[in-house]
Amino acid sequence: MEKSLGIRMRLRNNRFYVNQGRSRPMIHTVLGPIEEGELGVTLPHEHILVGFIENGKLTPDDYDRQEVVSLILPYLMELRSVGCRTFVDCSPEYLGRDPYVLSELAVKSGLHIITNTGFYQAPYLPPFVFEMPEPELAKLWIREYDEGIGDSGVKPGFIKIALNKGRLFPVQEKIVRAALTASLETGLPIQAHTNDGSVVMHVLEIMAERRFDPSRFIWVHAQNEKDLDLHEHAFKQGMWIQIDSIARSPHEDNCRLLQAFLERGMEAKLLLSQDLGWYTVGKAQGGDIRPYHKLFTEFIPFAVEYGIDPDVLDRLMSRNPAIALRNRS
């Protein structure tokens, strides 16, 4: 039953776009650009590889690329077998982004894999980030979009940043402003790690000042904020709201939050993911790697039983990610 539901979701998604009869925006995967209608059922926030090494000192010498591929591939194959088509890897540079690992996994798994440009937050930032002016930071990310990441030829499909709690710290505000600049130049959407909703309200202030469209911005870990009025305010401004605690917290808690968002009319801007994986640098055999398939095999059946319309779940897993991740250039 679980597999058939995932497959039905993928087919519904394909029909939705094939019947549009219009030109379709392109989205960059690690193997090249695809039309947004090819995205299919999507996990918009997961991880393959993460290395919590401070001050930007993580390098490929700290792990074995082939070990990462061999250990992660079975999890991706299992994910594909339940109907998922696209996997969005949210590890930014200096925290585990590796275009060569991602490209090999895309080829071997048959999944579309999307990577990013951008930076995370202290203490996982290299020292130069604190000194470099905002326009120069933006140029780094624009260059990766124009020329590819290093000599890999892989282009990012979105910008990944991180926000602290409360008002933005100076370095994070600079990163936010650089991300807005890079997004306007490249058309890439932004995914932002968050710890609460007040920091998102600060970002909305900056967006208003810069006349930046919030629909290009994904509020990651939105479940961390308990004041639903803040979510609704961000939604009304056009921002994407992402619940990515699926399989990390009780299904009933996630269903209750999802239902509350739906009752507030927020379906058109909701995303679901798990924030799972991953191969942890420095741990034997990558540590405790958590599988990616449980959203499909456990959460969706639970949510349907809970009373959430399966057609709504289809749209949250297929139509919405395609719109959120589309390039606006």
Side-chain angles (χ1 to χ4, degrees):
M1 176 181 177
E2 293 84 3
K3 289 186 180 182
S4 64
L5 177 59
I7 293 169
R8 181 171 66 87
M9 291 170 69
R10 181 176 60 190
L11 292 176
R12 284 173 57 87
N13 180 253
N14 288 341
R15 286 199 297 270
F16 177 84
Y17 285 99
V18 166
N19 291 337
Q20 294 304 296
R22 59 175 174 80
S23 61
R24 293 176 284 273
M26 306 302 288
I27 294 173
H28 283 288
T29 76
V30 296
L31 299 183
I34 62 172
E35 293 183 348
E36 70 171 64
E38 297 177 69
L39 219 61
V41 176
T42 300
L43 288 178
H45 192 102
E46 308 295 334
H47 296 275
I48 296 291
L49 168 70
V50 178
F52 293 106
I53 298 177
E54 296 184 4
N55 300 317
K57 293 183 178 180
L58 176 68
T59 75
D61 293 333
D62 295 311
Y63 55 90
D64 183 327
R65 280 174 165 154
Q66 288 309 306
E67 180 178 80
V68 177
V69 170
S70 65
L71 288 172
I72 292 292
L73 181 59
Y75 294 98
L76 295 182
M77 296 299 293
E78 188 171 26
L79 175 63
R80 192 171 188 270
S81 75
V82 297
C84 187
R85 190 71 185 95
T86 298
F87 181 103
V88 180
D89 183 76
C90 287
S91 297
E93 187 176 12
Y94 306 113
L95 200 71
R97 182 190 69 174
D98 190 317
Y100 298 98
V101 167
L102 297 178
S103 296
E104 186 170 349
L105 285 170
V107 170
K108 290 183 174 180
S109 70
L111 288 168
H112 297 308
I113 296 180
I114 300 172
T115 190
N116 63 83
T117 190
F119 297 145
Y120 196 55
Q121 63 184 352
Y124 308 110
L125 293 172
F128 78 83
V129 176
F130 295 87
E131 304 299 328
M132 183 175 282
E134 171 207 324
E136 297 305 310
L137 283 178
K139 285 180 183 177
L140 293 178
W141 305 333
I142 293 166
R143 185 179 305 119
E144 288 196 331
Y145 176 78
D146 288 338
E147 302 174 9
I149 298 169
D151 60 1
S152 69
V154 170
K155 293 190 174 186
F158 65 104
I159 299 166
K160 174 67 186 294
I161 61 174
L163 313 178
N164 47 267
K165 191 173 184 178
R167 303 288 289 183
L168 288 161
F169 300 151
V171 67
Q172 295 308 133
E173 181 170 348
K174 179 171 66 172
I175 287 173
V176 166
R177 291 180 178 275
L180 300 186
T181 298
S183 176
L184 289 171
E185 178 69 23
T186 63
L188 294 176
I190 301 168
Q191 287 213 49
H193 168 102
T194 65
N195 290 317
D196 73 0
S198 60
V199 72
V200 177
M201 299 304 106
H202 189 186
V203 170
L204 281 168
E205 293 174 20
I206 297 170
M207 289 180 179
E209 170 198 325
R210 296 283 293 270
R211 299 183 184 277
F212 184 89
D213 180 0
S215 70
R216 303 162 77 103
F217 192 94
I218 300 170
W219 177 353
V220 173
H221 312 324
Q223 69 277 355
N224 291 340
E225 175 55 56
K226 304 309 177 186
D227 184 348
L228 300 189
D229 289 342
L230 295 184
H231 298 106
E232 187 171 357
H233 175 71
F235 161 76
K236 287 179 176 178
Q237 299 300 307
M239 188 176 287
W240 291 90
I241 312 297
Q242 184 169 274
I243 303 173
D244 43 48
S245 54
I246 309 300
R248 293 173 64 94
S249 58
H251 292 332
E252 187 169 359
D253 291 351
N254 285 309
C255 284
R256 188 180 301 114
L257 179 59
L258 176 56
Q259 189 71 275
F261 286 160
L262 293 173
E263 288 172 357
R264 289 178 177 235
M266 295 167 56
E267 177 190 327
K269 289 290 183 178
L270 293 180
L271 300 169
L272 298 179
S273 209
Q274 303 165 120
D275 192 21
L276 287 181
W278 50 74
Y279 182 102
T280 301
V281 176
K283 293 189 176 182
Q285 296 290 291
D288 181 20
I289 301 171
R290 293 160 295 182
Y292 304 112
H293 66 87
K294 290 188 176 182
L295 188 152
F296 302 96
T297 59
E298 296 182 7
F299 176 73
I300 287 177
F302 183 95
V304 171
E305 188 70 21
Y306 187 87
I308 297 175
D309 186 340
D311 288 340
V312 170
L313 293 167
D314 283 354
R315 292 191 289 270
L316 299 188
M317 296 301 301
S318 54
R319 182 192 66 184
N320 283 10
I323 298 171
L325 293 167
R326 67 169 48 144
N327 189 295
R328 305 291 184 87
S329 59

